[in-house]
Amino acid sequence: DNTEIAPVNGQTLHLTIDRDVQWTAQRLLRQAVVSNRADSGTVVVMDAHSGQLLALADYPSYNANDPQASSSTNWVSRAVTDPYEPGSVEKVLTSSALIQQGLVTPETKVVVPPFITIQGHDIHDEEDHLTEHLTLAGILAVSSNIGMVHATLQSGQNHQGIGSVTMGNYLKAFGLGSTTDIGLPGESQGQLPDPATWSELTHAEIAFGQGVGVTAVQMAAAVNTVANGGDRKSVV
C-alpha cells in the first residue's frame, strides 16, 4: 500500500539582505578579525531611511549545510545575542539628548580639565592633556570622556545638566534596554540600569558609554536615528 501526501507550497520569503553587500561585509570582517587576532566580530549594514538590514555578518560563523562541523557557540548571530559596552559611540546619543533638551548646541564651549573626579573616582581621557577648551562638536571629534561628563552633568543655565530619568528616557527612546524584534532567535535586550537608581558616577559613566550593554543591531538602529534626522526606524 502506498499513501501519498500532496506537497504544499510554503510562503514566499523576501530578504532585505543585499547579496553583494553581505558578501563584502563577510569578507572584510574575516580579514579584520584575523589580522587583529580578535575572538570574533560582527558587521551591521543598515539602510538609514528604511531601517532595512542590508548585511548582517558574523565571524567566526558556520556552514548551515553542516552546522556540526563548527562549535555551537557560532550557531548564533552575535549581532543580536551578545551585549557589549558601546563606549564612545554612546556619546552620539548623549549629545543628541542634550541638544534636544536645549541644554547645549554643537557650538557650546566646555572647559575640559586633565581629569574629573566623581564620587572619589577619577575619570580620564584616553590620552593625557592639559586643560582644553572645546565645543560640544569638538568633544565628539576628539572623543573626550571628561568633556562629555561636564556637558552631561553641568550644562544649561543652572549648570545642573540633564537629569538621570530624562537621560534614561532618551536612551529608551533610542531603543536601548529592549529588543529590536528583528525575529532572530536569542536576541538580547541589552542592559540599561533603572535611571531611578543611577548614582552621579553611574550617570557620568553612561554618558560616555560605560555601564550599559547594547547589541550591534540595537546600537546601529540607535545611531541610525540620528542619521535619519531623528526619526527612529524599526529594524527589518
Side-chain angles (χ1 to χ4, degrees), residues 15-209:
L15 300 181
T16 63
I17 296 296
D18 183 296
R19 180 172 58 183
D20 294 333
V21 177
Q22 178 71 30
W23 183 85
T24 301
Q26 200 72 53
R27 180 174 60 87
L28 295 178
L29 174 61
R30 181 185 182 279
Q31 292 175 357
V33 171
V34 172
S35 63
N36 288 283
R37 299 179 181 178
D39 292 331
S40 63
T42 185
V43 168
V44 178
V45 181
M46 179 179 292
D47 184 286
H49 300 299
S50 68
Q52 293 181 341
L53 294 184
L54 304 181
L56 190 64
D58 291 280
Y59 186 83
S61 187
Y62 69 99
N63 183 350
N65 292 319
D66 187 17
Q68 299 296 331
S70 302
S71 169
S72 59
T73 58
N74 297 329
W75 295 354
V76 298
S77 175
R78 293 178 179 85
V80 298
T81 62
D82 292 12
Y84 63 95
E85 284 189 331
S88 291
V89 179
E90 177 82 7
K91 293 170 184 170
V92 175
L93 310 187
T94 303
S95 299
S96 298
L98 294 172
I99 292 172
Q100 184 69 27
Q101 282 295 109
L103 297 172
V104 295
T105 70
E107 292 77 32
T108 295
K109 297 178 181 179
V110 179
V111 177
V112 183
F115 65 92
I116 183 173
T117 302
I118 305 290
Q119 294 184 315
H121 294 266
D122 291 340
I123 295 174
H124 296 266
D125 286 332
E126 182 177 2
E127 296 183 0
D128 293 336
H129 57 77
L130 300 176
T131 297
E132 297 179 331
H133 298 267
L134 300 174
T135 62
L136 182 69
I139 288 171
L140 280 176
V142 300
S143 193
S144 171
N145 297 337
I146 301 168
M148 190 55 62
V149 170
H150 266 294
T152 301
L153 300 182
Q154 301 178 17
S155 60
Q157 291 183 343
N158 298 324
H159 302 289
Q160 293 180 342
I162 187 170
S164 58
V165 174
T166 302
M167 186 69 229
N169 287 336
Y170 272 103
L171 296 182
K172 290 176 183 177
F174 274 117
L176 272 62
S178 59
T179 59
T180 64
D181 294 329
I182 191 176
L184 294 178
E187 182 179 10
S188 171
Q189 65 181 14
Q191 294 130 5
L192 179 63
D194 182 353
T197 68
W198 292 4
S199 66
E200 187 179 16
L201 179 61
T202 301
H203 195 170
E205 291 177 332
I206 289 177
F208 59 87

